[in-house]
Amino acid sequence: MSDNIKNLIQRFDRHKNVTEAKFSFMLERQKSIENALIELQEESSDFYSFVAESLGEPDKEISSIKKKIKNL
């Protein structure tokens, strides 16, 4: 095998290794972003549940006051 071909093969192998490392990094990064998004969805779901529950309490109090007024 000529030196030229050996050099080309070595160059290709180096390029292949760098490309695989970049791809691996991108996959890890994507997984971490997906996990962060899932966590944010869970937290926002909990927050909206809390807000909905909190808003329901004044509604109950208002309807209770209205009933008391009607009964007067």
Side-chain angles (χ1 to χ4, degrees):
M1 213 182 301
S2 74
D3 287 339
N4 216 8
I5 292 174
K6 287 180 184 177
N7 287 338
L8 284 173
I9 290 172
Q10 285 178 343
R11 235 175 125 189
F12 174 77
D13 284 341
R14 280 196 304 262
H15 178 71
K16 180 179 147 194
N17 291 338
V18 169
T19 302
E20 286 175 355
K22 286 180 181 178
F23 184 71
S24 175
F25 173 77
M26 295 290 282
L27 282 178
E28 289 174 17
R29 188 82 173 136
Q30 182 180 357
K31 286 179 186 175
S32 109
I33 290 171
E34 286 173 354
N35 289 337
L37 287 173
I38 289 170
E39 189 175 321
L40 282 173
Q41 284 178 327
E42 290 170 355
E43 287 180 11
S44 66
S45 171
D46 291 345
F47 174 74
Y48 287 124
S49 296
F50 170 75
V51 169
E53 190 176 305
S54 297
L55 291 176
E57 290 174 11
D59 287 342
K60 290 177 187 173
E61 289 181 30
I62 290 170
S63 63
S64 169
I65 292 171
K66 285 180 181 178
K67 286 180 185 176
K68 288 179 183 176
I69 291 173
K70 285 181 182 177
N71 292 335
L72 290 177

